[in-house]
């Protein structure tokens, strides 16, 4: 509603009416939910709708009470702050239903499934029907009106799981127990009990229909449309069981309810003396049974009053004073109200015991369901208390949403346009203040001064109210007075107020309670007045004021969410919209002012520390890998985060201590980015993990491949060679069977493995666990049918160490099924027949078989024969010839003639026992040698953005320095746990202790010269004054390791990946030397390959020796620089093999290389080598780089040295330079 064009009460009313007509009962004013009671059941509270709001921010979904519950739960778990939901509105606006939906949502989404958690959830939900039965009633405006206030606090642990709950009860309307106006009802529990009590309960407690009791039938309303008392009674009993009330406790509760009902039936009449006596004597007798006292005590307590006289502070005489009918009725009603009120408080306390926290509770979510603002024709003490509590709640709303917000803008120096609003604190002070005395104070004074006579007390109260006539929110009108509440003017009737405010029982009733033998009944009255105490007991006004202030204190300790309920009409009609009544509610709820403040203000604010702690992940300047790295203050860090997130400047302001965000959409955007950050981090971790496993699996596969190639592959090759021996040069071979990579692997269908297909064949064959599968393959078998020529049909062949299995797959009822077609034990095989041509046909001859010998076409026939020979110890004969002899049926043998015909093709043509096939490889052919792997760059193992390809061809660039993690502001911790501190001198220790400044470098220390043998006076005068000896200087810093540096003698240009371009005279460090003439060099933070003959070692001069002693202090001489002597050269395992020639010539290898380069410069030698072509090959490949194309020699310019040739592939730079150097040296010697 903050988007309304015109902000007036009428425009707000029009908007609400359109929503009401379209069954859209919810809308927002900022973070405040506006709810209009539809007075009908809408399909917006299903489980599907509830799940749709889970984990969604408020503006992602339509306005709903579930969104408020989700927001409160999310804030509690994310910001670690207590939350409360304040539901306000007049009676019948839907507060109780809204509270129930919030509890339902929190129970559904909070925590995982668990016995303790589910038990708490069930108990929290069970409090609704239980307390509704004992605390709600039908009124003229609402069929289920809360006649008490309830604040439910659900307690959660750190994981957001409910671990307990607690209910605080406020001001039960106990006057409803003894009287209701026309067409209203007593509390629901009385009608449920009287209508649905079991026969045993009716017998034990004398329960009859509700029409038989005065307290339930006086208002002439026994049934309510839409309320099923019998069904509600079943829910109440179920709730009692869930809460944990035992059968004995339930019976005690029912006994107390029966006491109240039967007390109402104790009717009085005047006797001859004008005093009260009970009409029906059976009533006190049954009350005595229920109270477990003598019936005469019941009669005495209800019809007599003990009076004690006092004189001068001393106790006087005590005597019994009979009561008249009105007084007796008042005593009876007082006892009934006290019993029911204390019973209700006991139930609340018992519920709290059952819902006590099972473990440590860290946070709470409170749900306030309290009576709404009430304006009746006759308003008494109860309405004054109810409206006072609503004034306190309105004051909280004003303090937190209007007044405090504007004061905070001024305090934080935020640009802001003030909004006028009505502050109802003056009304709260009018009712509760002691000085000047308010309504409650005047009421207490009247009760104290005229406590004996209620009428005299009421008169005294009216007189004391006259002192409030100067307050513009109060008007006194005789026996009535008006209080101008925020929700409207209410006229209160003084009659009976003082008596209701006393809230005490007389001594006779306390004596009756004390005489009871029922322990449960005795425990309902733990606080009994002390007759000897002169302290005035607290009145009902004192109690409600204390409870209201305690409630306000609780609510102020939590972050509130608001639900403002609106009642569309007084008739509970789902279609009627009372514009006048709703305009009144819009006005006193302050919706117009709320919209103005919301549009002009900021939806979210938090301290800089909390903002940085929550959102530091969103800026690369404040976070690195989940750590907080910002070194500035929290304000600048917060500003950096908001700027880096791209939020418009007009959407946020920086205050003195807080950052303010204008619209909730911006806050939700920040939260979405934060959630996306963790999602992206999780995705990156998953991607890296998958890459790791892909790398690991690929590496394992390569290792296995290499192992099979070198180890297990030999066994397969031996089987293949044995196959050649078996054939013995008698059969032509197929070309593919002679490939070098052909191995006899055996189980090609993985029948002995764990694949799904292999397991299917294994099961279909019925292979026992003791058998080992040696060979499996697809095959074909020659089948013959009556009247038709034979043809080949597909089969599976499996060879184990026990038998040969032939499997067939057929369609059975439309689905393929595999079964065993034939099993041939190995011991029954006499021979195997093969032709002498290249065909794949083979015959298995079986001894003494009733079936035909199988004629198979097996692609791996030779391998199958090898395995058969292995498993039978060579006992099977191998018949190879131009015919295949087999038994077609028992007693009848046939032959298949195999002939060579080029028209037969590779597979051959079979017809009428004749097979024609083309020529194959010679019978004497053997397998070709194992082919060598083609050299070249092997495909990289790793893929993806997170993992960089490795290998010498693409060196990994140096990683950027990792920023140092900083402690989060407000003592927070970063999102990623830190490593434990080092034991000695760790980073954590150095971060905590300030580091001392580095010690200054020590200057060169010159030894002090000895004094001269004789000095003149002038010399002595020029000498410096004598001073104390200086302390020794700090030690010099440790010497850096001596790293040889190389200088680029020529410019090297390149665009190849992995190579490092160099400018002339660049200094580089050699990381790796390769024999191919390319060195891996490092320049600054960059690494790459460069030709070694472009680099020259930079000779470092020897350190200067200490200066010799000066001959005289007056003269200053320069210390001569000593000539450096050649240093010894340490052998390098990676150096080119030139050290074999020694270093007899001064300068060693470097001198030889320098001489060679000088000669090349003079003669313009060029070998046309290519730097790129001689790059060292990758460790993953053995393929040499292609030789470069020949290029014409380019003559060097006069006076300019040409760059040396780049090394050619295949030769080391050391060898090439050495040969040229030796040739040049020989030429010089000859001259």
């Amino acid at each position: 509603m903050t988007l309304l064009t015109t902000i007036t009460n009428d425009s707000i009313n029009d908007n609400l009416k359109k929503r009401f007509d379209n069954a859209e009962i919810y809308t927002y004013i900022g973070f405040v939910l506006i709810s209009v009671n539809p007075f009908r059941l809408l399909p917006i509270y299903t489980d599907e709708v509830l799940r749709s709001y889970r984990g969604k921010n408020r503006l992602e979904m339509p306005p709903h009470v579930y969104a408020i519950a989700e927001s409160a739960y999310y804030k509690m778990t994310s910001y670690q702050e207590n939350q409360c939901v304040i539901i306000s509105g007049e009676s019948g606006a839907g507060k109780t239903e809204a509270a129930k939906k919030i509890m339902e949502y929190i129970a559904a989404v909070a925590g995982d499934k668990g016995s303790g958690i589910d038990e708490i959830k069930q108990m929290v939900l069970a409090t609704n029907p239980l307390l509704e039965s004992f605390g709600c009633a039908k009124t003229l405006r609402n069929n289920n009106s809360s006649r008490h206030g309830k604040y439910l606090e659900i307690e959660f642990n750190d994981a957001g799981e409910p671990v307990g709950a607690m209910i605080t009860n406020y001001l039960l309307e106990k006057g409803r127990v003894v009287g209701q106006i026309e067409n209203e009802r007593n509390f629901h529990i009385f009608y449920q009990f009287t209508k649905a009590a079991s026969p045993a309960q009716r017998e034990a407690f004398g329960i009859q229909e509700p029409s038989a009791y005065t307290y339930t039938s006086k208002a002439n309303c026994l049934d309510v449309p839409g309320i099923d008392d019998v069904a509600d009674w079943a829910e109440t009993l179920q709730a009692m069981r869930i809460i944990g009330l035992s059968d004995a406790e339930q019976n005690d509760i029912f006994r107390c309810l029966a006491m109240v009902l039967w007390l109402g039936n104790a009717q009085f009449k005047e006797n001859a003396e004008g005093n009260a006596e009970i009409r029906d004597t059976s009533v006190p007798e049954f009350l005595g049974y229920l109270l477990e006292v003598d019936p005469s005590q019941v009669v005495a307590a209800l019809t007599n009053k003990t009076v004690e006289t006092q004189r001068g502070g001393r106790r006087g005489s005590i005597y019994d004073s009979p009561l008249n009918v009105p007084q007796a009725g008042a005593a009876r009603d007082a006892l009934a109200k006290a019993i029911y009120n204390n019973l209700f408080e006991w139930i609340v306390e018992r519920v709290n015991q059952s819902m006590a926290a099972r473990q440590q509770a860290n946070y709470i979510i409170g749900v306030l369901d309290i009576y709404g603002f009430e304006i009746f024709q006759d308003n008494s003490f109860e309405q004054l208390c109810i409206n006072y509590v609503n004034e306190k709640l309105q004051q909280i709303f004003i303090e937190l949403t209007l007044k405090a917000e504007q004061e905070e803008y001024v305090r934080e120096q935020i640009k802001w346009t003030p909004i006028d609003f009505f502050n109802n604190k003056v009304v709260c002070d009018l009712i509760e203040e002691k000085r000047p005395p308010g309504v409650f104070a005047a009421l207490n004074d009247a009760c104290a001064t005229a406590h004996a006579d209620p009428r005299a007390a009421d008169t005294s109260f009216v007189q004391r109210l006259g002192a409030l006539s100067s307050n513009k929110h109060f008007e006194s009108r005789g026996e009535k007075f008006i209080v101008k509440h925020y929700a409207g003017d209410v006229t209160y009737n003084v009659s009976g107020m003082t008596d209701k405010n006393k809230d005490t029982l007389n001594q006779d009733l306390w004596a009756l309670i004390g005489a009871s033998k029922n322990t449960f009944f005795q425990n309902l009255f733990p606080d009994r007045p002390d007759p000897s105490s002169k302290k005035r007991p607290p009145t009902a006004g004192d109690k409600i004021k204390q409870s209201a202030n305690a409630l306000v204190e609780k609510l102020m300790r939590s972050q509130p969410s608001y639900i403002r309920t609106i009642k569309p009409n007084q008739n509970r009609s789902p279609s009627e919209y009372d514009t006048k009544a709703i305009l009144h509610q819009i006005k006193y709820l302050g919706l117009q002012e709320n919209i103005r403040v919301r549009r002009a203000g900021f939806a979210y604010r938090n301290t800089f520390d909390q903002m940085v702690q929550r959102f530091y992940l969103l800026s690369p300047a404040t976070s690195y890998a989940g750590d907080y790295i910002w070194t500035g203050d929290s304000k600048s860090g917060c500003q950096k985060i908001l700027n880096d997130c791209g939020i418009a400047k007009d959407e946020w302001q920086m205050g003195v201590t807080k950052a303010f965000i204008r619209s909730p959409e911006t806050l939700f955007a920040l939260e979405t980015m934060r959630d996306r950050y963790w999602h992206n981090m999780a995705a990156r971790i998953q991607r890296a993990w998958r890459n790791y496993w892909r790398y690991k699996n690929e590496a394992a596969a390569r290792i296995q491949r290499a192992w099979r190639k070198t180890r297990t592959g030999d066994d397969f090759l031996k089987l293949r060679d044995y196959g050649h021996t078996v054939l013995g040069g008698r059969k032509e071979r197929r070309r593919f069977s002679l490939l070098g990579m052909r191995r006899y692997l055996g189980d090609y269908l993985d029948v002995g493995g764990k694949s799904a297909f292999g397991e299917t064949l294994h099961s279909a064959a019925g292979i026992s666990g003791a058998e080992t599968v040696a060979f499996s393959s697809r095959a074909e078998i020659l089948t013959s049918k009556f009247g038709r020529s034979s043809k080949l049909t597909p089969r599976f062949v499996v060879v184990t160490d026990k038998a040969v299995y032939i499997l067939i797959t057929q369609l059975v009822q439309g689905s393929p099924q595999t079964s065993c077609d034939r099993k041939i034990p190995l011991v029954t095989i006499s021979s195997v027949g093969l032709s002498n041509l290249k065909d794949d046909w083979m015959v298995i001859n079986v001894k003494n078989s009733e079936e035909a010998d199988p004629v198979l076409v097996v692609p791996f026939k030779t391998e199958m024969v090898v395995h058969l020979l292995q498993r039978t110890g060579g006992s099977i004969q191998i018949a190879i010839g131009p015919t295949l002899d087999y038994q077609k049926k028992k007693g009848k043998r046939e032959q298949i003639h195999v002939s060579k015909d080029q028209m037969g093709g590779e597979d051959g043509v079979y017809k009428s026992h004749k097979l024609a096939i083309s020529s194959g490889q010679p019978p004497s052919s053997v397998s070709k040698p194992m082919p060598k792997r083609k050299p070249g760059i092997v495909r990289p193992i790793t893929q993806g953005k997170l993992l960089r390809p490795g290998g010498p061809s693409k060196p990994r660039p140096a990683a950027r320095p990792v920023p140092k993690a900083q402690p989060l502001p407000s003592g927070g911790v970063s999102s990623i746990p830190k490593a434990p501190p080092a034991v000695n001198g760790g980073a954590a220790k150095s971060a905590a202790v300030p580091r001392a400044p580095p010690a200054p470098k020590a200057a060169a220390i010159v030894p002090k010269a000895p004094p001269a043998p004789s000095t003149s006076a002038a010399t002595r005068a020029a000498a410096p004054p004598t001073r104390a000896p200086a302390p020794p200087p700090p030690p010099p810093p440790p010497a850096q390791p001596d790293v040889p540096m190389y200088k680029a003698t020529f410019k090297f240009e390149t665009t190849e990946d992995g190579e490092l371009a160099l400018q002339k005279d660049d200094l580089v460090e050699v990381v790796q030397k390769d024999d191919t003439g390319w060195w891996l060099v490092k320049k600054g933070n960059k690494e790459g390959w460069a030709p070694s003959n472009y680099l020259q070692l930079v000779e470092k001069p020897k350190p200067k020796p200490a200066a010799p002693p000066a001959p005289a202090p007056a003269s200053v001489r320069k210390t001569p620089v000593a000539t450096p002597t050649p240093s010894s050269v340490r052998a390098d395992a990676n150096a080119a093999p030139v050290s074999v020639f020694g270093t007899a010539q001064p300068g060693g290898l470097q001198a030889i290389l320098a001489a060679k380069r000088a000669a090349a410069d003079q003669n313009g030698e060029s070998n046309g080598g290519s730097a790129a072509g001689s790059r060292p090959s990758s460790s993953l490949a053995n393929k040499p780089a292609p030789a470069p194309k020949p290029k014409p020699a380019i003559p060097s310019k006069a006076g300019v040295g040409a760059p040396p040739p780049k090394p050619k592939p295949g030769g080391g730079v050391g060898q090439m330079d050495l040969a040229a150097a030796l040739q040049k040296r020989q030429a010089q010697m000859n001259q």
Side-chain angles (χ1 to χ4, degrees), residues 290-496:
L290 294 175
L291 291 168
E292 297 186 21
V293 297
D294 189 84
S296 61
Q297 292 178 292
V298 177
V299 175
L302 296 181
T303 58
N304 292 280
K305 178 180 180 181
T306 301
V307 180
E308 180 180 352
T309 61
Q310 294 184 1
R311 291 184 180 180
R314 298 180 181 180
R315 297 182 61 181
S317 59
I318 299 176
Y319 59 93
D320 292 334
S321 174
L323 302 177
N324 57 28
V325 172
Q327 291 173 341
R332 174 203 60 200
D333 293 345
L335 179 59
K337 291 188 292 184
I339 293 174
Y340 189 81
N341 182 76
N342 289 14
L343 174 64
F344 186 81
E345 291 182 353
W346 182 90
I347 292 175
V348 172
E349 181 62 27
R350 181 63 178 81
V351 169
N352 288 337
Q353 292 177 7
S354 298
M355 296 192 303
R358 273 40 171 186
Q359 52 183 280
Q360 177 64 33
N362 301 91
Y363 315 107
I364 65 168
I365 294 180
V367 181
L368 179 63
D369 175 21
I370 207 164
Y371 21 65
F373 199 89
E374 293 185 348
I375 306 177
F376 297 140
Q377 293 293 333
D378 185 14
N379 302 287
S380 186
F381 179 75
E382 293 83 2
Q383 281 68 45
L384 176 64
C385 295
I386 289 173
N387 295 341
Y388 161 70
V389 174
N390 280 271
E391 287 283 357
K392 298 292 288 186
L393 296 179
Q394 177 68 7
Q395 186 180 5
I396 294 178
F397 183 78
I398 291 174
E399 287 288 339
L400 296 181
T401 61
L402 302 178
K403 182 175 179 291
E405 185 161 356
Q406 299 196 58
E407 291 176 352
E408 186 176 30
Y409 293 151
V410 174
R411 185 171 58 253
E412 292 287 335
Q413 301 177 10
I414 298 296
K415 296 179 181 179
W416 165 256
T417 302
I419 303 296
D420 295 331
F421 60 91
F422 169 67
N423 190 345
N424 73 326
K425 186 177 184 301
V426 293
V427 181
C428 295
D429 293 342
L430 170 67
I431 299 175
E432 67 180 1
E433 276 297 315
K434 291 185 178 180
R435 288 179 178 79
V439 176
F440 281 153
L443 192 57
N444 288 342
D445 291 341
C447 293
T449 57
H451 56 84
D453 187 359
R455 295 182 181 179
D458 289 342
T459 303
S460 177
F461 179 45
V462 172
Q463 294 173 357
R464 295 175 185 276
L465 288 176
L468 302 176
S469 59
S470 60
N471 193 312
K472 64 179 182 179
H473 298 282
F474 179 85
E475 291 183 14
S476 179
R477 295 186 178 180
E479 294 294 326
K480 298 181 180 180
F481 63 92
I482 298 175
V483 177
K484 298 180 179 179
H485 292 281
Y486 77 97
D489 298 348
V490 181
T491 302
Y492 296 99
N493 192 348
V494 174
S495 178

Side-chain angles (χ1 to χ4, degrees), residues 241-279:
R241 286 189 288 268
I242 294 175
I243 293 298
L245 295 177
S246 63
D247 292 341
E249 290 174 324
Q250 293 182 34
N251 286 330
D252 288 333
I253 292 174
F254 302 150
R255 177 180 290 270
C256 292
L257 294 177
M259 292 178 191
V260 174
L261 291 173
W262 282 106
L263 274 173
N265 281 8
Q267 300 297 316
F268 301 97
K269 65 179 181 178
E270 287 187 0
N271 58 15
E273 292 80 12
N275 299 324
E277 65 177 16
I278 299 178
R279 291 179 183 272

Side-chain angles (χ1 to χ4, degrees), residues 828-900:
T828 63
I829 300 176
S830 60
S831 64
V832 175
L834 300 173
S835 75
N836 58 355
L837 298 183
K838 71 171 186 177
D839 60 277
D840 293 332
W841 290 56
M842 64 182 296
V843 175
I844 299 178
N845 299 119
V846 184
K847 296 180 292 184
N848 303 324
S849 175
E850 300 291 332
E851 302 180 58
D853 293 337
V855 180
L856 301 173
V857 178
V858 184
F860 307 118
K861 57 190 178 303
T862 307
E863 183 176 355
M864 181 176 173
V865 170
V866 168
H867 285 290
L868 288 174
L869 290 174
Q870 274 191 327
R871 270 58 188 176
T872 58
S875 62
I876 299 178
Q877 296 182 0
I878 308 300
I880 302 178
T883 60
L884 298 175
D885 185 74
Y886 70 100
Q887 176 179 281
K888 189 172 184 179
K889 60 183 179 179
K890 187 176 182 180
K892 181 181 180 182
R893 303 192 67 84
E894 291 285 350
Q895 289 185 343
I896 298 176
H897 299 273
V898 184
S899 61
K900 186 179 297 185

Side-chain angles (χ1 to χ4, degrees), residues 210-225:
S211 58
Y213 299 101
T214 304
Y215 284 164
T216 55
S217 62
K218 186 164 52 176
N220 297 319
C221 183
L222 302 179
D223 299 298
V224 179

Side-chain angles (χ1 to χ4, degrees), residues 764 808-820:
I808 182 173
T809 300
Q810 297 174 314
L811 288 177
V812 178
Q813 296 180 354
S815 61
Q817 291 187 5
T818 303
S819 60
C820 183

Side-chain angles (χ1 to χ4, degrees), residues 1020-1177:
R1020 286 195 302 268
T1026 304
R1027 66 177 64 180
Q1040 298 293 332
D1042 189 12
V1043 179
M1045 302 298 293
Y1046 289 80
K1047 180 178 70 174
T1049 55
F1050 299 96
K1051 182 179 180 180
F1052 173 55
E1053 297 180 351
T1054 180
T1055 58
E1056 296 290 334
D1057 292 339
E1059 296 180 355
L1060 182 63
L1062 300 175
Q1063 300 293 330
K1064 186 178 180 182
D1065 297 331
D1066 282 350
L1067 292 178
V1068 297
E1069 174 188 349
V1070 175
V1071 179
Q1072 178 185 347
K1073 297 180 179 180
D1074 197 275
D1075 294 342
T1076 58
W1078 285 81
W1079 290 356
L1080 181 63
V1081 298
K1082 181 177 181 181
K1083 177 184 174 184
N1085 292 329
K1086 298 181 180 180
E1087 288 187 1
W1089 295 91
S1092 60
N1093 53 352
Y1094 276 48
L1095 305 175
Q1096 180 179 2
L1097 180 66
V1098 178
E1099 290 287 348
K1100 292 187 177 181
K1102 287 290 184 180
K1104 297 180 180 180
S1115 60
V1116 180
R1117 298 182 181 180
K1118 295 183 178 179
T1119 303
V1121 179
T1123 304
T1125 59
S1127 60
S1128 60
V1129 180
R1130 180 176 296 179
D1132 188 358
N1134 295 324
V1138 298
S1139 59
V1140 295
F1141 291 93
T1143 56
Q1145 187 174 352
L1149 174 61
Q1150 294 300 328
I1152 296 175
L1153 296 179
K1156 186 265 175 188
R1157 292 190 182 97
D1161 292 343
Q1162 294 175 3
N1163 300 330
E1165 295 177 358
S1166 176
N1167 57 12
S1170 171
S1174 58
R1175 182 184 306 108
S1177 60

Side-chain angles (χ1 to χ4, degrees), residues 193-194 197 201-203 205-209 213 254 258 261-262:
F193 187 37
T194 54
Q201 292 168 345
R202 293 183 183 276
E203 178 68 23
F205 308 124
I207 301 303
Q208 303 175 21
E209 291 300 317
Y213 299 101
F254 302 150
L261 291 173
W262 282 106

